[in-house]
């Protein structure tokens, strides 16, 4: 299969590219910069210069591919305005990719987060929330999934708050970055709130499975750890970096503070049963032991 991927040189995307190539697919990777293009080429993919705002580039690439995987996002959480801009850019990009595939029955695999369901782990059947600073991403995903009756084999892989590799990545990575910056391994709330997690290499397998065989309009959970307490993450981060571990105000984490303070475990029972996905890589707390001061 000839696959076009956005976000193919990030922590998750690079793992997905490697997984696709190992399975015999060919990959063209959207590359925003020269360094990104060089990384894509070194990984074995064909770089295509452009960004999420280059809608004609996206349409052309999607039209020439047998399947599309969308992972790119601005990841600028420095202010509410920057988050809103990132959400809007992604919405336009996804619309361009999806409209090109209407009537082709080709796969479009996009990404979203696991939902929050108070009192229990969320499942693949729970709806995504459209509230909060990144709620607009859920609207974009819903529009893509709704195209299944129009001949787009659309699916979404819902990623947990932390996708990790060697202790890096995801919201836990933001905890680590904040700890390095402030000198305190801080956590919002009482630290008992739980975040689901998955190793990037396990998540990559699920993206491939979704591309190859997920039915149109379907949602899947890339969840290995159902829920790890944020306080436990902070304890490992503090020990590895030699920093004190303390509760801090939600505002410490900017516009994502309320999300960081939320209890949000998630299940992947249906994903494992129906797609045959079995995560085998180290769990989050074990992977955090790779952090170096």
């Amino acid at each position: 299969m000839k696959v076009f991927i956005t976000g193919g040189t990030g922590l998750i995307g690079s793992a997905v590219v490697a997984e696709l190539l190992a399975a015999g697919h060919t990959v063209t990777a959207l590359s925003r910069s020269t360094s990104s293009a060089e990384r894509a080429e070194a990984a074995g993919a064909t770089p295509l210069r452009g960004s999420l705002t280059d809608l004609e580039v996206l349409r052309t690439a999607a039209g020439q591919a047998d399947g599309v995987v969308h992972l790119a996002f601005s990841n600028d959480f420095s202010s509410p305005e920057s988050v809103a801009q990132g959400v809007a850019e992604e919405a336009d990009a996804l619309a361009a990719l999806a409209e090109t595939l209407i009537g082709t029955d080709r796969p479009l695999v996009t990404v979203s987060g696991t939902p929050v369901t108070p009192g229990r782990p969320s499942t693949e059947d729970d709806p995504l929330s459209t509230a909060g600073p990144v709620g607009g991403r859920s609207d974009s995903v819903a529009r893509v999934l709704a195209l299944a009756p129009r001949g787009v084999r659309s699916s979404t892989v819902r990623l947990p708050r932390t996708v990790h590799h060697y202790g890096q990545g995801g919201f836990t990575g933001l905890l680590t970055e904040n700890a390095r910056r402030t000198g305190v391994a801080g956590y919002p709330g009482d630290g008992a709130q739980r975040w689901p997690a998955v190793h990037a290499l396990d998540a990559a397998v699920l993206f491939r499975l979704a591309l190859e065989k997920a039915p149109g309009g379907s949602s899947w959970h890339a969840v290995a750890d159902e829920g790890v307490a944020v306080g436990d993450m902070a304890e490992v981060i503090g020990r590895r970096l030699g920093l004190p571990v303390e509760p801090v105000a939600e505002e410490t984490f900017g516009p994502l503070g309320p999300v960081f303070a939320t209890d949000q475990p998630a299940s992947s029972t249906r994903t494992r049963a129906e797609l045959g996905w079995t995560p085998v890589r180290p769990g989050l707390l074990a992977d955090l032991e790779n952090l170096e001061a």
Side-chain angles (χ1 to χ4, degrees), residues 159-291:
L159 293 174
R161 299 308 183 198
T162 288
V163 181
H164 55 92
H165 194 189
Y166 287 108
Q168 306 295 324
F171 280 14
T172 304
L174 296 179
L175 289 178
T176 302
E177 290 175 13
N178 187 72
R180 294 185 189 277
R181 184 176 63 253
T182 64
V184 173
Y187 55 89
D190 62 6
Q193 69 271 29
R194 297 161 294 170
W195 296 351
V198 67
H199 196 285
L201 298 181
D202 283 328
V205 175
L206 182 54
F207 276 98
R208 175 181 60 78
L209 291 172
L211 183 78
E212 292 173 344
K213 63 182 183 179
S218 59
S219 299
W220 309 97
H221 276 195
V223 172
D225 288 317
E226 186 171 284
V228 181
V230 176
D232 291 342
M233 300 176 206
E235 288 289 344
V236 179
I237 293 169
R239 174 166 50 77
R240 296 298 301 171
L241 301 184
L243 298 174
V245 180
E246 300 174 4
V248 296
E250 287 184 17
E251 293 75 16
T252 304
F253 303 99
L256 292 179
V259 180
F260 274 38
T262 301
D263 186 54
Q264 47 196 277
S267 165
S268 59
T269 300
R270 181 164 67 79
T271 297
R272 300 185 193 215
E274 296 185 13
L275 288 187
W277 178 65
T278 304
V280 297
R281 302 289 176 169
L284 174 57
L285 295 181
D287 201 22
L288 282 173
E289 296 292 344
N290 289 297
L291 287 176

Side-chain angles (χ1 to χ4, degrees), residues 3-6 61-62 65-70 97 101 107-110 211:
V3 182
F4 174 55
I5 185 170
T6 72
D66 299 315
V68 176
V69 177
H70 166 70
L97 293 169
L101 297 178
L108 169 56
V109 183
T110 187
L211 183 78

Side-chain angles (χ1 to χ4, degrees), residues 22-256:
H25 301 295
T26 61
V27 179
T28 296
L30 186 70
S31 302
R32 187 172 53 182
S33 65
T34 299
S35 61
S36 176
E38 291 173 348
R39 291 196 301 274
E41 191 167 22
T46 300
L48 175 65
R49 289 299 298 271
S51 69
L52 286 187
T53 60
D54 296 319
L55 301 185
E56 284 306 312
V57 172
L58 299 181
R59 292 187 183 98
T60 299
Q64 295 173 345
D66 299 315
V68 176
V69 177
H70 166 70
L71 289 168
F73 188 68
S74 71
N75 288 323
D76 182 354
F77 300 111
S78 60
S79 69
E81 293 77 18
S82 61
V83 173
Q85 180 178 346
V87 170
E89 289 178 356
E90 182 184 44
D92 291 341
L94 264 176
L97 293 169
E99 69 185 24
T100 305
L101 297 178
I102 290 174
T104 67
D105 292 320
R106 296 175 188 168
L108 169 56
V109 183
T110 187
V111 64
S112 55
T114 53
V116 177
T117 52
R120 64 172 175 82
S122 65
T123 73
E124 298 87 343
D125 297 317
D126 289 315
L128 297 175
S129 172
T130 57
V134 294
R137 300 188 74 186
S138 300
D139 290 323
S140 298
V141 169
R143 287 190 290 269
V144 169
L145 296 182
L147 291 175
R150 300 180 62 190
V152 181
R153 186 159 64 80
S154 53
S155 63
T156 184
V157 173
R158 295 174 170 182
L159 293 174
R161 299 308 183 198
T162 288
V163 181
H164 55 92
H165 194 189
Y166 287 108
Q168 306 295 324
F171 280 14
T172 304
L174 296 179
L175 289 178
T176 302
E177 290 175 13
N178 187 72
R180 294 185 189 277
R181 184 176 63 253
T182 64
V184 173
Y187 55 89
D190 62 6
Q193 69 271 29
R194 297 161 294 170
W195 296 351
V198 67
H199 196 285
L201 298 181
D202 283 328
V205 175
L206 182 54
F207 276 98
R208 175 181 60 78
L209 291 172
L211 183 78
E212 292 173 344
K213 63 182 183 179
S218 59
S219 299
W220 309 97
H221 276 195
V223 172
D225 288 317
E226 186 171 284
V228 181
V230 176
D232 291 342
M233 300 176 206
E235 288 289 344
V236 179
I237 293 169
R239 174 166 50 77
R240 296 298 301 171
L241 301 184
L243 298 174
V245 180
E246 300 174 4
V248 296
E250 287 184 17
E251 293 75 16
T252 304
F253 303 99
L256 292 179

